[in-house]
């Protein structure tokens, strides 16, 4: 299969004869190897346990799910190859992909080949703004994060000198533009708006500009791999600004990259799914397996639930009918609580809150929900 790594899981359980109720092929696609493999593992774990649970209850209308796991390595070209392979193999339901750069091009191929995809992680607004019939996501949207960040800055730093810094990618520009619009609408425009290169490592010029503008608060719209060094270099230069960023900064080694200056850095991200009462039993079972269901685990579990419930509501496995049922606005019970989806496939329930990097008694740092 085009040199792609594929692992196929078949859940053994009593079922009707294949001619009466064949298995429903469902694939989870994400970065199972590479820099984002930890998130691919969360996707796989979430989708697998949801599949196991649905099959243990008799499947969907008596039909069992046959789960396939494919590795797109977080690479758009590989994601496109996977999407084409799925179409050839007649897989009509996909949980994935992880990063928007993979999901967006893959979604168009799925749309042309009668395949419904539910992403548990891709937050770029473009994924649903293309208004394809086949896209749904259990994650929120970047522009919601940008709007939330803009409102937070206007409300909590009404007299502060603000800077908005984008990494120049579609992700970064999307967040930055939303935050900028909110600030200007509230009569508190940023004092500095600028971009860096997505691969930039030295921020001397940027810090010089921030010092000249007497910047006190920085909204960084980009990835943690750059936010960390920017925080460190800014602090070392004697400018102790308040940094705020979006979900792209949710990397485990941010404290290593930023050093002690990471303290009080604010991150806009989804609410803690593990604290949702609807997820309590599933979280307990994951932990009993020695696995902590962080980040995208429960959103992937929910993605399988959404597909399964969509098939039940449609009364058929036809992907277009299933997509229409999911987007009908009727609530779907999941580990994230009841979810409803709009006509574009976006969830209607808010999926955003503020977190802060906090120093612990042992000298380390942890990311905690703002109280």
């Amino acid at each position: 299969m085009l040199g792609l790594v594929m692992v196929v899981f078949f859940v053994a359980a009593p079922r009707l004869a294949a001619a009466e109720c064949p298995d429903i092929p469902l694939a989870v696609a994400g970065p199972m190897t590479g820099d984002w493999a930890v998130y691919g593992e969360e996707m796989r774990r979430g989708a697998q346990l949801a599949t196991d649970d649905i099959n243990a209850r008799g499947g969907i209308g008596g039909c069992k799910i046959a789960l396939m796991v494919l590795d797109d390595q977080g690479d758009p070209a590989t994601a496109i190859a996977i999407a084409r392979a799925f179409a050839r193999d007649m897989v009509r339901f996909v949980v994935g992909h992880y990063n928007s750069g993979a999901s967006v091009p893959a979604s168009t191929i799925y749309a042309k080949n009668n395949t419904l995809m539910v992403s548990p992680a891709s937050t770029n607004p473009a994924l649903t703004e293309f208004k394809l019939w086949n896209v749904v996501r259990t994650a929120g949207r970047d522009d919601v994060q940008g709007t939330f960040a803009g409102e937070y800055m206007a409300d909590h730093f009404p007299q502060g000198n603000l800077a908005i810094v984008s990494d120049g990618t579609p992700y970064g520009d999307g967040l930055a533009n939303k935050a900028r619009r909110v600030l200007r609408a509230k009569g508190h425009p940023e004092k500095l708006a600028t971009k860096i290169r997505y691969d930039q490592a030295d921020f001397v010029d940027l810090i010089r500009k921030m010092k000249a503008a007497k910047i006190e608060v920085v909204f960084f719209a980009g990835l943690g791999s750059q936010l960390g060094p920017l925080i460190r270099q800014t602090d070392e230069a004697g400018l102790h600004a308040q940094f705020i960023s979006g979900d792209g900064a949710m990397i485990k080694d941010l404290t290593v990259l930023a050093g002690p200056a990471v303290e009080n850095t604010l991150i806009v991200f989804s609410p803690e799914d593990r604290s949702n009462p609807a997820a309590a039993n599933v979280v307990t079972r994951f932990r009993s397996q020695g696995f902590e269901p962080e980040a995208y685990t429960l959103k992937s579990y929910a993605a399988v639930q959404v597909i399964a419930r969509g098939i039940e509501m449609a009364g058929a496995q036809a992907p277009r009918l299933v997509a229409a049922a999911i987007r009908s606005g009727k609530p779907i019970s999941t580990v994230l609580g009841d979810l409803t989806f709009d006509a574009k496939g976006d969830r209607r329930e808010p999926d955003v809150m503020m977190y802060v990097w906090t120093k612990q008694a042992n000298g380390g740092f942890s990311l905690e929900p703002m109280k």
Side-chain angles (χ1 to χ4, degrees):
M1 182 181 278
L2 302 174
L4 302 176
V5 177
M6 180 174 73
V7 182
V8 183
F9 296 86
F10 294 100
V11 180
R15 60 181 176 86
L16 299 177
E20 297 177 12
C21 196
D23 287 336
I24 302 172
L26 186 150
V28 54
M32 305 303 161
T33 60
D35 293 341
W36 296 298
V38 62
Y39 303 120
E41 177 68 1
E42 290 170 358
M43 292 172 63
R44 184 191 71 78
R45 289 270 196 160
Q48 185 66 67
L49 187 58
T51 295
D52 293 343
D53 288 348
I54 290 169
N55 285 343
R57 292 193 293 268
I60 307 170
C63 300
K64 302 301 176 71
I65 299 172
L67 184 67
M68 298 186 294
V69 182
L70 273 78
D71 179 18
D72 69 9
Q73 302 169 9
D75 174 61
T78 304
I80 290 170
I82 284 177
R84 288 173 177 159
F86 281 171
R88 184 189 67 200
D89 293 344
M90 300 294 287
V91 176
R92 295 295 170 245
F93 302 101
V94 176
V95 172
H97 295 238
Y98 165 68
N99 46 331
S100 299
S103 288
V104 172
S107 66
T108 61
I109 295 172
Y110 293 138
K112 293 175 183 176
N113 290 280
N114 197 32
T115 298
L116 169 65
M117 65 171 281
V118 180
S119 174
S122 295
T123 55
N124 192 314
L127 181 61
T128 48
E129 288 303 321
F130 285 123
K131 298 180 180 179
L132 299 174
W133 68 266
N134 67 318
V135 178
V136 177
R137 54 178 152 199
T138 54
R141 289 173 49 129
D142 290 341
D143 51 0
V144 174
Q145 293 181 21
T147 298
F148 184 86
E151 292 173 345
Y152 189 93
M153 287 188 287
D155 293 343
H156 290 78
F157 307 102
Q159 306 302 321
N161 292 332
L162 311 178
I164 298 178
V165 181
S166 169
D167 67 358
T169 64
Y171 165 78
D173 285 348
L175 260 67
N177 291 338
K178 284 291 184 178
R180 184 181 299 112
R181 287 173 193 160
V182 170
L183 287 170
R184 293 180 179 181
K186 286 180 171 283
H188 190 27
E190 75 283 357
K191 194 168 184 180
L192 174 66
T194 188
K195 295 185 182 183
I196 61 170
R197 300 190 316 275
Y198 74 92
D199 59 349
Q200 190 169 330
D202 187 319
F203 303 104
V204 172
D205 289 341
L206 171 59
I207 294 170
R208 186 181 299 117
K209 291 178 183 178
M210 291 196 296
K211 279 188 171 182
K214 298 182 180 179
I215 295 301
E216 299 165 275
V217 182
V218 181
F219 178 57
F220 180 75
L223 304 180
S225 56
Q226 287 185 297
L227 174 62
L230 176 58
I231 292 173
R232 181 190 292 272
Q233 292 176 34
T234 302
D235 185 68
E236 290 172 348
L239 180 60
H240 308 298
Q242 170 67 64
F243 279 90
I244 304 173
S245 194
D247 68 340
M250 290 288 287
I251 60 173
K252 297 183 183 299
D253 60 349
L254 184 65
T255 56
V256 175
L257 296 173
V262 76
E263 186 175 8
N264 296 323
T265 295
L266 301 174
I267 305 292
V268 181
F269 191 56
S270 299
E272 176 50 74
D273 294 331
R274 288 171 293 182
S275 65
N276 192 312
N281 176 262
V282 172
V283 169
T284 298
R285 288 163 55 219
F286 270 121
R287 288 173 175 166
S288 72
Q289 299 170 3
F291 180 77
E292 188 60 35
E294 297 181 300
Y296 303 104
T297 309
L298 296 176
K299 284 181 170 59
S300 298
Y301 189 108
V304 177
Q305 291 180 303
V306 167
I307 292 171
R309 182 58 184 147
I311 293 173
E312 292 174 344
M313 290 191 296
Q317 295 179 27
R320 285 181 178 270
L321 295 179
V322 176
I326 293 170
R327 293 172 165 196
S328 67
K330 295 179 180 178
I332 296 176
S333 179
T334 76
V335 291
L336 307 179
D338 284 352
L339 297 182
T340 58
F341 298 90
D342 65 21
K344 292 185 293 188
D346 287 317
R347 52 184 284 181
R348 290 174 170 168
E349 293 72 25
D351 186 44
V352 63
M353 65 177 292
M354 190 67 80
Y355 293 80
V356 59
W357 278 102
T358 304
K359 190 171 184 178
Q360 303 299 303
N362 63 3
F365 297 89
S366 64
L367 190 63
E368 306 289 344
M370 284 286 287
K371 297 179 180 179

